[in-house]
Amino acid sequence: MNDRIINALQQLFKKHRIVFWYDAKHELRDDFDSLVLEDIEKIVLDNNEFSVKYKIIREQPNQKFLLYRAGAQPALLDNWLLDVQLAHGEFRTDQVAIWLSELSLGIEFAEVLKDHAEFFRAKSRKEALNKLIEPSDSSGMVQLKMLAVCAKSEPKMDTVVESLLQDLANDKDEKMSLISRSALDGFFWEQMNRYYGYKSDEPSIHDFAIELFKSSYAMATDGQVKLSNDALVFLKRWKDSRQYQDSFEMLSDKFSDDLDIRDDLSSRDFKQLIDIDYFRLIDNKIISALANAVLQSDFTAEQMAIWIRQRRQSHWYAEFEHTYQALDNAAQFIANFNQVKIDMDSFVQGVERYTQSWYKLDQLYRKFIYHKLESGEVSLLNHLNDKIENIYSNNYLLRLGNRFQEFVESESQWNAAPILRQDRFFKHWVKPFLDNNNKIYVIISDAMRYEIADELVSLIRQEDRYSADIAPMLSMLPSYTQLGMAALLPNETLSIADNTSGTVLVNGQSSQGTSNRSKILKAALQDRGDAITADDFMQLNRDGSRELLKANDIIYIYHNRIDHTGDKMLSEGQAFEAAEKTLSDLMKIIKKLAAANANNILITADHGFIYQNREIDQSDFSGAEVRGKEVLYKDRRFILGKGLVDSPGLHKFSSEALGLIGDVEVQIPKSINRLRLSGSGSRFVHGGASLQEVVVPVVSINKKRQSDTTAVEVDILRGSNSLITTEELTVSLYQSTPVTEKNQPRVLRVGVYTESGELISDSYEMTFDLRSENPRAREQQVNLIFTRRIDELNGQEVVLKLEEKVGGTSHYKEYKSLKYTVRRSFTSDFDF
């Protein structure tokens, strides 16, 4: 008892200099006498009130006093110290009084504490509440903070409910049970009615949760709504909460069955649902409808892109991102194919047209297949996949291969001037840097075909202070690694070894492996050149990479992910995944080079490839029989040998026709056909003369000193109306310029706030990444729903804010704002 008295008194003396203690039952005199309170003088009141008053007010005006009286408080007219008592504090010894003292609450809170006595029987709850209480708190605020302690949440109604819903999702009821035991349930349900309009004869958090999903869905689909706008705002905040979104997802899935959402969705047009995301089934419905729309070509690729971009705001987008991206790329692929005319008048024109437009079909096919595989939606995208595969393999790849084959056969020399051949790479692209006393760094990514490099260029240009350009180059033939890698080195002569290894000699020296390539570079540059694998380079620390660059005028960095993956039967199906990872790898290498003070970088490849995701038909294999005096080397797409016998399904080249020395002959299967080869993959192939194999990229990168990127500007289009008269506000936002590599997207959070910064509407995170040149197409609308607080602000100004996240943090800063005046009709205060 003594400890509790001391604790209660210490709390009182934090607020008061003088504390009165009336011992009505004459039972605590011993406790008073035994008290030891530092810096506090104890006085017993016993017909000495006048002298005590003089002492505590005049003689010792700064001293703290505990005034004890045995017996009840005197009548008001008989209490000589009443004025002092009213100005200071009173210590009471009943249980509620002790709680009041411990919490530094006034006597006006006595009934609140008495009504919820169970809450205060746990020391931990009292301590938790004591940390939350503020001097200005009302009785209702104290009760709300008691709810927060029970729910283990912040003292806000939204977070209390979020915490209770989390318990519900996890099949627990400890928090709600504690609220009931503490007799706070009545207050809780009153607040649920006040905040969200929830009423029920048998209220429960489970019943509220069902009604929350039901009313929010109904509000978006013109159904019957029983809850207020605040409930919809709450649901939107809840689903976006990092702490509680898991419980939203669990309850959403559960209640989608209870509310028969699947049946309701079956009769709705997906376009009505584009802005709704309360149930995972909505995304399922939209994806299914979009897949069918792409399959039937019901809408333009531009319209599909708009819908998919709108779905990026969906709570479930991250889960379905690959599926949406597969649909977007499928729509673009079909649209591009419908605009393409696959024809050419010459070998060179075929190469030029491929680099101008046709490569885009290979890129979109790759992106579709990659995202389809990553999505895991095999059955959903099955029919669309069949359509894309049929167009790509039969109507594009085969037709293009057959037409280009005609010109391959008509050429006496393997050349596409003015497009340079690969063996001119060093003299044309590398040597000019050295001649001008500039260092140059070359990254060679095995099998990075032209369309992958095109995507890489876009990624590089998006980086601040980086510029990048791409040019085509004709690979050597056959388009295989040993010859492509050799041709990129400084060379006077290239020849294929007269044995079964397929090795290529540069100036008579083997170019097989990084070590031999390093020797060739050193010999050509008086030991100022070197070669290293990308893996080894990335393992170097900062000093190590700088020393390597300092010691050499040129470094070749060899990267091998696509070919390493695709050229094996067991992993060839992961070729497009390897392409995505290659883009990431190369960006890391570029940045590491730049960090080591590299300014000039070239990226190229040894060859491209053909890849078809479907199983290869028998018709895709050449029936030609490979015969000759000596067959040295055989692959899916080429044969090396001597005295090779002509065959209708093969086209033969001499070394001289290919720019090589020696007498090794080369045969290539016509068009995109493969040769049968035991134990080798057949979907990923290279070595032949198709455009996808022989058009390789040269990417030139320069690191600038000054920043050259910016984000697009966004304006608020209010029009002539600056008044808020309804429960909603529709705002148009205009992206002033199209997105480009250097003019980058901007992400903004949109909401309406009071002048003091209180959010009074739902809020949205919007991405402004439109690329259209049409200004009208760069407008986006957002519909903001107000909470009940809007009625309390009638006649006042509120602020529409666009906020931008501070880089690398969870904080936001204001980007732009616009003020509105609230002019709500008086009828909003009544129910009609």
Side-chain angles (χ1 to χ4, degrees):
M1 181 67 172
N2 197 264
D3 288 342
R4 295 174 63 192
I5 291 173
I6 290 174
N7 290 336
L9 286 169
Q10 286 174 338
Q11 292 298 321
L12 280 171
F13 276 112
K14 288 179 180 179
K15 298 171 64 177
H16 304 290
R17 182 173 71 87
I18 302 168
V19 174
F20 288 78
W21 180 355
Y22 295 106
D23 184 6
K25 296 181 180 180
H26 300 267
E27 58 186 9
L28 298 174
R29 178 57 185 267
D30 290 341
D31 291 292
F32 172 78
D33 290 339
S34 64
L35 282 177
V36 178
L37 298 170
E38 187 176 355
D39 298 327
I40 296 171
E41 184 175 335
K42 300 189 299 181
I43 298 176
V44 176
L45 298 177
D46 187 12
N47 296 320
N48 57 348
E49 285 83 357
F50 184 77
S51 62
V52 169
K53 189 171 187 177
Y54 185 82
K55 178 178 182 178
I56 63 178
I57 293 177
R58 292 297 183 87
E59 293 184 341
Q60 297 176 266
N62 297 316
Q63 174 64 39
K64 292 183 177 181
F65 293 96
L66 176 60
L67 308 182
Y68 172 87
R69 177 187 176 92
Q73 179 178 331
L76 296 180
L77 293 176
D78 298 329
N79 190 348
W80 288 60
L81 296 174
L82 179 61
D83 57 338
V84 179
Q85 181 180 325
L86 292 175
H88 294 276
E90 179 185 352
F91 173 62
R92 298 171 60 185
T93 55
D94 59 272
Q95 185 63 73
V96 171
I98 291 175
W99 291 337
L100 287 171
S101 298
E102 290 176 337
L103 297 170
S104 300
L105 290 174
I107 191 66
E108 67 272 17
F109 291 92
E111 288 302 315
V112 174
L113 273 60
K114 183 179 180 181
D115 290 344
H116 308 297
E118 179 63 29
F119 176 91
F120 297 97
R121 300 197 192 285
K123 181 180 179 182
S124 60
R125 291 197 289 270
K126 284 187 294 183
E127 291 176 346
L129 180 62
N130 198 27
K131 292 177 181 178
L132 298 176
I133 286 178
E134 297 178 1
S136 60
D137 283 346
S138 63
S139 295
M141 182 55 70
V142 170
Q143 287 174 295
L144 177 59
K145 290 179 176 179
M146 291 165 68
L147 283 177
V149 172
C150 292
K152 298 180 180 178
S153 71
E154 294 180 52
K156 300 176 183 177
M157 197 63 192
D158 282 2
T159 56
V160 168
V161 177
E162 285 173 341
S163 181
L164 295 176
L165 289 171
Q166 185 180 47
D167 259 19
L168 176 65
N170 293 321
D171 293 322
K172 297 178 180 179
D173 66 351
E174 287 87 346
K175 295 171 185 174
M176 197 65 217
S177 293
L178 177 57
I179 289 172
S180 297
R181 292 201 314 274
S182 300
L184 285 163
D185 48 342
F187 173 79
F188 175 72
W189 296 119
E190 287 174 5
Q191 300 308 303
M192 293 292 282
N193 180 22
R194 176 176 171 237
Y195 276 83
Y196 310 119
Y198 173 69
K199 299 178 183 178
S200 175
D201 293 335
E202 297 181 4
S204 70
I205 198 67
H206 186 204
D207 183 66
F208 167 75
I210 292 179
E211 189 57 53
L212 177 64
F213 279 95
K214 184 177 181 180
S215 284
S216 296
Y217 182 71
M219 196 177 296
T221 55
D222 298 323
Q224 183 180 5
V225 180
K226 292 185 178 180
L227 301 182
S228 67
N229 279 355
D230 292 63
L232 177 61
V233 174
F234 165 77
L235 179 64
K236 290 182 176 181
R237 293 180 188 174
W238 174 36
K239 69 182 173 62
D240 294 333
S241 164
R242 289 186 179 182
Q243 183 177 359
Y244 294 113
Q245 64 178 345
D246 288 347
S247 60
F248 163 80
E249 292 174 4
M250 287 188 281
L251 292 177
S252 172
D253 287 342
K254 172 179 169 54
F255 296 146
S256 66
D257 292 335
D258 296 343
L259 297 172
D260 295 323
I261 297 299
R262 187 184 299 275
D263 290 342
D264 183 82
L265 290 172
S266 65
S267 61
R268 294 189 182 275
D269 187 326
F270 78 92
K271 293 187 287 295
Q272 296 176 298
L273 308 169
I274 286 293
D275 295 322
I276 311 173
D277 65 346
Y278 308 134
F279 301 101
R280 183 184 269 108
L281 287 175
I282 294 173
D283 281 88
N284 293 143
K285 164 75 176 184
I286 292 173
I287 287 169
S288 179
L290 291 180
N292 188 62
V294 177
L295 187 63
Q296 303 299 328
S297 298
D298 289 339
F299 302 99
T300 65
E302 290 78 9
Q303 182 58 67
M304 293 292 297
I306 289 171
W307 285 327
I308 290 169
R309 180 172 51 77
Q310 286 177 274
R311 289 313 291 172
R312 284 199 313 225
Q313 308 300 326
S314 164
H315 176 82
W316 314 95
Y317 181 77
E319 179 178 334
F320 296 106
E321 179 176 6
H322 285 295
T323 310
Y324 281 118
Q325 290 300 312
L327 293 172
D328 189 19
N329 283 284
Q332 290 186 59
F333 174 85
I334 294 170
N336 271 263
F337 176 76
N338 289 336
Q339 296 172 4
V340 161
K341 182 181 179 182
I342 298 176
D343 196 13
M344 64 199 83
D345 296 326
S346 67
F347 183 92
V348 172
Q349 191 180 73
V351 175
E352 290 175 340
R353 288 185 175 178
Y354 181 78
T355 62
Q356 290 164 1
S357 62
W358 295 340
Y359 77 89
K360 195 70 180 177
L361 288 168
D362 293 304
Q363 188 178 81
L364 291 169
Y365 173 75
R366 170 175 62 84
K367 301 293 282 185
F368 167 73
I369 295 297
Y370 168 73
H371 288 297
K372 184 206 73 169
L373 294 174
E374 290 295 305
S375 76
E377 297 286 357
V378 177
S379 58
L380 176 64
L381 299 176
N382 186 48
H383 293 304
L384 181 57
N385 179 76
D386 289 345
K387 179 175 182 175
I388 299 296
E389 289 286 2
N390 181 58
I391 293 173
Y392 182 74
S393 294
N394 300 326
N395 297 337
Y396 167 66
L397 197 61
L398 183 59
R399 283 175 55 197
L400 181 63
N402 288 345
R403 181 63 176 145
F404 188 61
Q405 181 65 37
E406 297 175 21
F407 296 101
V408 170
E409 294 181 15
S410 68
E411 295 293 311
S412 59
Q413 291 289 319
W414 184 248
N415 210 327
I419 296 170
L420 292 178
R421 197 172 61 190
Q422 199 171 33
D423 54 343
R424 296 280 299 166
F425 171 77
F426 187 87
K427 290 181 181 178
H428 180 79
W429 272 289
V430 178
K431 194 170 183 295
F433 285 99
L434 302 175
D435 291 343
N436 290 321
N437 294 319
N438 291 320
K439 295 189 174 190
I440 179 69
Y441 308 96
V442 180
I443 305 169
I444 303 169
S445 185
D446 202 327
M448 183 186 69
R449 66 183 181 181
Y450 189 86
E451 57 89 2
I452 298 172
D454 173 78
E455 185 176 354
L456 176 66
V457 167
S458 180
L459 293 174
I460 295 169
R461 287 174 177 169
Q462 292 172 40
E463 294 290 330
D464 192 24
R465 296 188 296 159
Y466 285 86
S467 63
D469 294 294
I470 186 170
M473 180 168 64
L474 183 69
S475 83
M476 302 299 289
L477 201 65
S479 54
Y480 75 116
T481 298
Q482 288 93 323
L483 181 53
M485 292 296 185
L488 295 170
L489 292 164
N491 67 82
E492 295 299 329
T493 62
L494 297 172
S495 60
I496 298 174
D498 190 1
N499 55 43
T500 60
S501 67
T503 299
V504 177
L505 307 179
V506 176
N507 304 331
Q509 180 179 338
S510 172
S511 62
Q512 183 76 20
T514 307
S515 176
N516 283 325
R517 294 167 194 166
S518 179
K519 291 176 183 177
I520 293 169
L521 285 168
K522 288 181 182 298
L525 287 107
Q526 291 78 47
D527 285 334
R528 293 289 297 174
D530 205 351
I532 187 173
T533 67
D535 288 342
D536 287 344
F537 178 70
M538 293 305 291
Q539 291 298 317
L540 295 175
N541 60 25
R542 183 182 179 89
D543 291 339
S545 58
R546 289 192 170 187
E547 283 300 317
L548 177 67
L549 269 62
K550 184 178 179 181
N552 294 281
D553 295 328
I554 181 170
I555 298 171
Y556 275 36
I557 300 174
Y558 291 96
H559 173 267
N560 185 10
R561 186 185 289 276
I562 298 173
D563 199 63
H564 180 75
T565 302
D567 227 15
K568 298 182 178 65
M569 184 169 62
L570 294 179
S571 62
E572 66 173 350
Q574 301 166 25
F576 286 171
E577 179 186 358
E580 290 291 324
K581 291 180 178 177
T582 288
L583 294 171
S584 176
D585 291 347
L586 295 177
M587 291 302 296
K588 291 175 182 176
I589 296 171
I590 292 166
K591 290 182 178 181
K592 188 177 179 72
L593 280 168
N597 298 323
N599 292 319
N600 303 303
I601 302 169
L602 295 173
I603 302 180
T604 189
D606 50 351
H607 55 77
F609 62 87
I610 299 172
Y611 180 82
Q612 293 161 272
N613 191 58
R614 63 169 174 78
E615 291 299 321
I616 301 302
D617 295 331
Q618 290 300 313
S619 60
D620 292 315
F621 288 96
S622 172
E625 184 179 354
V626 178
R627 292 182 298 119
K629 179 180 178 182
E630 188 176 10
V631 175
L632 299 173
Y633 191 95
K634 179 182 177 182
D635 203 276
R636 286 286 191 193
R637 291 282 288 159
F638 68 97
I639 305 107
L640 304 177
K642 294 182 179 180
L644 297 176
V645 176
D646 290 339
S647 172
L650 302 171
H651 185 69
K652 185 168 68 173
F653 297 88
S654 67
S655 285
E656 182 183 2
L658 298 175
L660 306 173
I661 63 171
D663 55 0
V664 173
E665 296 173 328
V666 176
Q667 277 186 325
I668 307 290
K670 294 183 178 181
S671 187
I672 63 169
N673 291 330
R674 281 87 159 156
L675 294 169
R676 298 184 186 280
L677 190 66
S678 177
S680 177
S682 57
R683 290 185 289 164
F684 176 96
V685 292
H686 60 87
S690 72
L691 287 164
Q692 288 83 358
E693 295 168 284
V694 301
V695 177
V696 293
V698 179
V699 177
S700 305
I701 304 167
N702 182 257
K703 179 71 179 295
K704 301 177 181 179
R705 294 184 180 275
Q706 294 183 332
S707 176
D708 64 352
T709 59
T710 186
V712 295
E713 292 295 324
V714 178
D715 296 318
I716 306 169
L717 304 180
R718 178 170 62 185
S720 59
N721 190 3
S722 62
L723 300 179
I724 292 174
T725 59
T726 65
E727 295 179 337
E728 299 180 9
L729 176 65
T730 300
V731 180
S732 293
L733 302 171
Y734 172 61
Q735 180 185 312
S736 60
T737 55
V739 163
T740 63
E741 282 94 350
K742 294 302 182 184
N743 197 30
Q744 297 182 352
R746 190 184 289 272
V747 179
L748 298 173
R749 186 174 68 179
V750 186
V752 179
Y753 297 79
T754 65
E755 292 278 19
S756 62
E758 176 190 355
L759 180 64
I760 56 171
S761 73
D762 51 353
S763 66
Y764 290 88
E765 190 171 88
M766 302 181 67
T767 301
F768 297 88
D769 60 352
L770 297 164
R771 295 179 177 272
S772 175
E773 294 290 340
N774 180 2
R776 297 291 298 175
R778 297 199 301 274
E779 285 187 28
Q780 295 189 58
Q781 281 195 336
V782 58
N783 191 49
L784 299 168
I785 298 175
F786 294 113
T787 66
R788 58 189 173 78
R789 273 282 281 142
I790 195 69
D791 288 329
E792 302 171 20
L793 299 167
N794 208 14
Q796 299 181 38
E797 285 190 331
V798 295
V799 185
L800 172 72
K801 288 184 182 180
L802 305 185
E803 297 177 298
E804 191 167 29
K805 186 174 285 189
V806 178
T809 74
S810 60
H811 298 282
Y812 285 81
K813 62 180 179 181
E814 185 174 309
Y815 171 68
K816 284 183 181 177
S817 65
L818 193 63
K819 289 187 177 181
Y820 287 80
T821 301
V822 180
R823 286 283 187 268
R824 300 278 284 139
S825 169
F826 76 94
T827 56
S828 63
D829 297 328
F830 301 89
D831 292 324
F832 287 109

